[in-house]
């Protein structure tokens, strides 16, 4: 996992993981918007999977 800082309240995290469908190596890139309260999770603005960007199974892990 790595982080990329932006000038606004948005930031990107990159996760190197295994695909839930076929166990292949994939990279998930998730764009977050930082919440204004520490009790609330940061909001996912965008999700991209290097194997299939429309994969709903993987995307649900970050919501």
């Amino acid at each position: 996992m790595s982080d990329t800082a932006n000038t606004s309240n948005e930031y990107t995290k990159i996760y190197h993981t295994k695909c839930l469908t076929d166990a292949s190596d994939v990279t998930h890139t998730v764009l977050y918007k930082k919440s204004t309260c520490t009790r609330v999770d940061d909001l996912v603005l965008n999700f991209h999977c290097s194997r299939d960007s429309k994969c709903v199974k993987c995307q649900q892990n970050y919501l």
Side-chain angles (χ1 to χ4, degrees):
M1 178 181 82
S2 63
D3 297 338
T4 304
N6 291 330
T7 56
S8 65
N9 290 340
E10 297 176 2
Y11 63 97
T12 301
K13 285 194 175 184
I14 299 172
Y15 302 91
H16 302 284
T17 187
K18 297 282 185 185
C19 179
L20 297 174
T21 305
D22 64 3
S24 62
D25 291 331
V26 293
T27 301
H28 292 157
T29 306
V30 185
L31 176 64
Y32 293 97
K33 181 170 185 168
K34 187 169 273 305
S35 69
T36 57
C37 177
T38 58
R39 290 179 276 169
V40 178
D41 291 338
D42 293 347
L43 179 66
V44 174
L45 297 176
N46 190 12
F47 171 83
H48 178 75
C49 176
S50 61
R51 183 174 177 269
D52 180 6
S53 61
K54 296 177 184 176
C55 181
V56 177
K57 287 182 186 178
C58 293
Q59 188 174 8
Q60 289 176 349
N61 290 331
Y62 302 98
L63 298 177

